[in-house]
Amino acid sequence: MILKYKNLKDEYIGLFNDQEKCDFVLTDVLFAFNEIYKIIDDSKTNTILEIGSGTSILLNELSKCFPNKKFFGLDPHQRGYSGYEKISKKISNTKNLSLIHHDFKEFNSEYSFDLIFSFNVFEHLQDQNEYIKKIDYLLSTTGKSIILCPNYDFPYEPHFIIPIIRNKEITYKIFKNKINKHEKRTGEIGLWNGLNFCSKKKISNFLNKNNFVFKFDASIKDRFFKRIDDDQSSYFKKRQGVVAKIAKLARFLYLDKIIFDIFKIPFPYMKLIIEKKKK
């Protein structure tokens, strides 16, 4: 199953106030859809929960592809993305799609879930370890969780497109004006304060210490580069600006393999798959 940007835009453009915001959301929907689709297509995956469902467009598309499976979207619509609530409310609950306006920390469910996933949400959580523990509680006995998010082991902040200078506090002092202008321009007030820099190394240490079965999908690197090349709206490439150009050049010269495969420099994005803990 392949989603086309043009088809998505034709259906959802009326929900947005401007073209740029529409492109921002739909390019992410296309990428996330392709990362999640295969596991939902598995016959063992029948109940699906998205944490941080935002506009709910991704879930809406998935629920149409799998009408016999149950989808749930959970989002409090806070921390810089409150505008997404208006869009989500225009997407109706259906017999196989339920949208829940609630904070994850207080969320309880009569269901256990075969798949719980989050896309570019993990870095916004205050307590990432507690999130992982609660996900494990909500998973079915054979369930899995997928987390797609930036990897801050690589010193780059993708929301604001700035380098990370040592830590979050110092980075803010150096790029304060740029950060504040971005939040004002996009309406995402509080976005910076809500970021919790997550790293592959830190997460791995926690998961190993607590005996989780997990793996990082290393092939996400190739698909991320492909996204820069093939983005159907050209928005992702445009938004990343010089970073996208450098990435394309590195790919062309095979520098990406030297940097990430030989020298093992952390890739700035990760896909984490965690299995339900065995009792």
Side-chain angles (χ1 to χ4, degrees):
M1 176 67 185
I2 299 176
L3 281 184
K4 297 292 185 181
Y5 172 78
K6 183 180 182 304
N7 294 341
L8 283 177
K9 186 175 178 181
D10 288 345
E11 181 170 354
Y12 296 107
I13 185 65
L15 302 183
F16 294 85
N17 294 326
D18 62 79
Q19 172 78 46
E20 187 172 283
K21 180 67 74 173
C22 178
D23 283 341
F24 174 79
V25 170
L26 296 188
T27 52
D28 273 358
V29 167
L30 287 167
F31 184 73
F33 182 93
N34 291 330
E35 292 298 322
I36 297 296
Y37 183 91
K38 187 174 181 180
I39 190 170
I40 296 178
D41 196 31
D42 190 316
S43 60
K44 296 178 182 178
T45 306
N46 293 295
T47 51
I48 301 100
L49 171 65
E50 181 183 9
I51 306 295
S53 51
T55 62
S56 305
I57 290 175
L58 173 59
L59 274 186
N60 195 45
E61 290 300 308
L62 288 168
S63 68
K64 289 189 292 185
C65 293
F66 301 98
N68 295 321
K69 303 191 180 206
K70 291 185 178 296
F71 292 84
F72 301 83
L74 182 69
D75 202 311
H77 296 103
Q78 297 173 350
R79 292 188 193 168
Y81 291 101
S82 57
Y84 288 178
E85 181 181 5
K86 294 179 181 178
I87 297 172
S88 180
K89 285 183 176 180
K90 295 177 182 178
I91 294 177
S92 301
N93 290 305
T94 63
K95 66 178 182 178
N96 73 322
L97 173 60
S98 299
L99 303 176
I100 307 162
H101 181 76
H102 210 289
D103 191 286
F104 178 69
K105 291 182 293 185
E106 302 169 3
F107 174 67
N108 290 298
S109 174
E110 62 183 286
Y111 292 94
S112 58
F113 300 96
D114 302 318
L115 172 66
I116 300 176
F117 73 93
S118 63
F119 177 68
N120 294 346
V121 168
F122 195 70
E123 71 272 22
H124 300 284
L125 300 172
Q126 288 183 321
D127 194 328
Q128 294 160 349
N129 293 345
E130 286 302 314
Y131 172 85
I132 292 173
K133 289 179 182 178
K134 183 156 186 178
I135 278 179
D136 182 69
Y137 171 75
L138 292 170
L139 285 173
S140 64
T141 54
T142 58
K144 293 181 180 180
S145 171
I146 296 178
I147 296 172
L148 292 135
C149 67
N151 174 20
Y152 289 96
D153 283 330
F154 187 89
Y156 170 67
E157 207 307 295
H159 301 80
F160 295 89
I161 315 176
I162 55 176
I164 296 172
I165 311 300
R166 193 169 182 182
N167 56 40
K168 185 179 177 182
E169 182 180 3
I170 294 175
T171 301
Y172 181 74
K173 288 179 180 179
I174 295 173
F175 294 102
K176 180 179 178 180
N177 289 336
K178 182 177 176 64
I179 290 167
N180 291 341
K181 285 180 181 178
H182 174 91
E183 290 190 352
K184 185 176 180 180
R185 178 176 60 83
T186 61
E188 297 166 354
I189 305 301
L191 177 60
W192 177 264
N193 288 337
L195 286 175
N196 183 4
F197 290 2
C198 47
S199 72
K200 182 177 178 180
K201 182 178 180 181
K202 183 179 178 181
I203 297 167
S204 296
N205 288 340
F206 170 78
L207 293 171
N208 282 319
K209 183 178 179 180
N210 288 274
N211 300 313
F212 280 94
V213 177
F214 68 96
K215 67 177 181 179
F216 288 94
D217 183 354
S219 64
I220 191 70
K221 173 174 68 70
D222 295 324
R223 294 193 296 279
F224 207 80
F225 275 112
K226 191 173 188 301
R227 179 182 182 183
I228 296 174
D229 291 332
D230 299 344
D231 178 66
Q232 295 177 43
S233 75
S234 300
Y235 177 76
F236 179 77
K237 191 162 27 185
K238 176 183 175 182
R239 183 174 184 271
Q240 297 300 323
V242 66
V243 175
K245 292 178 182 178
I246 293 173
K248 286 193 69 176
L249 179 62
R251 185 75 159 176
F252 178 75
L253 297 174
Y254 295 98
L255 292 177
D256 61 304
K257 295 189 179 300
I258 296 173
I259 294 170
F260 300 115
D261 297 341
I262 297 176
F263 287 106
K264 303 298 182 182
I265 292 175
F267 189 69
Y269 200 76
M270 57 184 168
K271 181 178 183 179
L272 170 63
I273 303 169
I274 308 173
E275 295 182 13
K276 171 76 172 182
K277 287 180 73 173
K278 307 301 181 185
K279 293 184 179 180

